[in-house]
Amino acid sequence: SFKGILTHRTAGKNPLVTSLFFLVPLSLFALFTSSADRSSPVTVVFTSGTGVWQIGTRLETEGVVPSAYLFVAAAYLQKGRLMAGEYTFVPGLSTFDVARKMALGERNIYTLTIIEGDTLYNVAEAMDKSSIMESGRFLRLVTDGAFLKRVGIEGSTAEGYLYPDTYYYSREIDGEQFIEKIAGRRVRFFARDDIRKRMAEIGFIATKTLTSA
């Protein structure tokens, strides 16, 4: 048949094509089937800025995927859009499943709750227990003038600026950015033109009032 003649001629004249004829289906099979010999979940944290190849080699080392090369191929199918975070990979996932999980951002999410009346020391303890930041470093930052200025706090301490609420985060989060996120709600509120105008009318000083509350 024509198909038989084409295959025969191609195989004879171009061994590379013949190799690809076998390798491509095998690669696709490996991409969509689980081949990692694991009996328990593996948890891995990837920080922002980690390259696809670095992720692939880490996952291969941890036994999550059989090959970093296959993972790069799977990531390419996701257009390389992988999200940083802490991921738990259960046994039975294919390389494609792993890449898709990271593309969808199916990370492990945790919560940190600040309640009304919490002091900086209370928050520092909670940050430490949550593995976001060591309490000592937190206390240094929330009284550091340069850091407070960068965050938008006009004062010598972040006391009173850490808005009571439940905050969601993943393990890769940067501690300084997390503080900025928590303080940002009150900073933005007091930065509003209408609020500033009203404060000036009644002689209200936000920093003095918040830090003495």
Side-chain angles (χ1 to χ4, degrees):
S1 65
F2 177 75
K3 181 178 179 181
I5 294 172
L6 179 63
T7 305
H8 174 73
R9 288 179 178 176
T10 303
K13 295 182 179 180
N14 197 335
L16 177 60
V17 174
T18 304
S19 299
L20 290 175
F21 180 79
F22 291 102
L23 289 175
V24 170
L26 287 173
S27 297
L28 289 173
F29 177 78
L31 194 64
F32 290 96
T33 57
S34 172
S35 59
D37 298 325
R38 293 184 295 111
S39 58
S40 58
V42 173
T43 298
V44 189
V45 178
F46 296 107
T47 57
S48 180
T50 305
V52 174
W53 176 252
Q54 291 174 289
I55 295 173
T57 53
R58 175 73 184 282
L59 291 174
E60 182 180 348
T61 301
E62 297 288 345
V64 177
V65 299
S67 165
Y69 292 99
L70 277 178
F71 178 80
V72 171
Y76 178 79
L77 295 177
Q78 306 296 333
K79 299 182 180 180
R81 298 174 182 174
L82 308 180
M83 294 182 64
E86 179 191 79
Y87 292 87
T88 295
F89 302 103
V90 298
L93 294 177
S94 69
T95 302
F96 181 82
D97 292 333
V98 172
R100 182 169 176 78
K101 182 181 180 74
M102 295 190 66
L104 294 174
E106 296 177 350
R107 304 166 290 174
N108 298 334
I109 300 298
Y110 301 88
T111 61
L112 180 138
T113 300
I114 298 176
I115 61 175
E116 193 73 45
D118 271 355
T119 66
L120 292 179
Y121 293 96
N122 297 138
V123 179
E125 183 179 3
M127 295 276 277
D128 201 329
K129 287 182 177 179
S130 300
S131 300
I132 298 173
M133 178 185 291
E134 292 183 354
S135 59
R137 181 171 175 240
F138 172 82
L139 291 171
R140 287 192 297 272
L141 280 172
V142 294
T143 55
D144 179 83
F147 175 73
L148 295 175
K149 184 177 180 180
R150 177 161 64 85
V151 171
I153 297 175
E154 301 172 355
S156 58
T157 174
E159 189 79 65
Y161 277 91
L162 305 182
Y163 195 87
D165 203 348
T166 296
Y167 297 90
Y168 298 88
Y169 67 95
S170 186
R171 294 292 189 198
E172 88 292 352
I173 192 166
D174 177 79
E176 294 186 16
Q177 292 178 353
F178 195 62
I179 296 174
E180 188 171 357
K181 175 183 178 180
I182 296 173
R185 293 177 65 174
R186 278 208 164 123
V187 169
R188 288 190 296 273
F189 176 78
F190 288 113
R192 286 168 45 185
D193 291 338
D194 59 328
I195 298 299
R196 283 185 173 276
K197 182 179 179 181
R198 182 56 181 161
M199 285 165 53
E201 291 173 352
I202 63 177
F204 181 86
I205 301 175
T207 302
K208 183 177 180 181
T209 303
L210 289 173
T211 56
S212 61

